[in-house]
Amino acid sequence: KQVDLYIDGLNPLLRDLGKLGKIATKELRASSRVIADRHMVPAYKKAAREVPSWGGYLANSIRSRNDRLPSVKIGQTGSRKQTIGLKP
């Protein structure tokens, strides 16, 4: 599930960021990932671990994403599905 959110001025910013050269874009993505790894991922993992029983599984699936803006992926992290709970 994705969260849709409107931020005033974000679309023009993204449009301008898209005009940057390849090197600048690569640096921007790297810096955004550092921000997400330092601040966002630990906060989301801490919150997830507070959920009884399945919070630890969710916390282990939280990763930063390679994007122009700091972002986090929560949930399935690969082609292999993760099962929580009893297997049939």
Side-chain angles (χ1 to χ4, degrees):
K1 180 178 178 180
Q2 260 186 323
V3 176
D4 291 326
L5 179 67
Y6 177 77
I7 300 173
D8 190 36
L10 182 61
N11 287 338
L13 172 65
L14 291 174
R15 188 171 38 252
D16 291 342
L17 291 176
K19 295 175 185 175
L20 295 174
K22 287 185 179 185
I23 295 172
T25 299
K26 187 181 266 189
E27 290 178 7
L28 180 62
R29 287 177 183 269
S31 296
S32 291
R33 185 165 232 166
V34 168
I35 292 168
D37 284 335
R38 284 189 187 164
H39 302 285
M40 297 170 71
V41 171
Y44 284 120
K45 283 187 175 191
K46 181 181 177 192
R49 286 190 181 106
E50 292 176 2
V51 176
S53 70
W54 54 267
Y57 292 105
L58 184 63
N60 291 335
S61 72
I62 298 173
R63 307 274 188 271
S64 62
R65 294 183 59 218
N66 189 26
D67 201 349
R68 295 173 291 178
L69 299 175
S71 62
V72 175
K73 178 179 174 74
I74 301 173
Q76 187 174 340
T77 59
S79 60
R80 209 172 79 200
K81 291 185 179 179
Q82 296 176 353
T83 306
I84 298 173
L86 298 174
K87 294 182 181 179

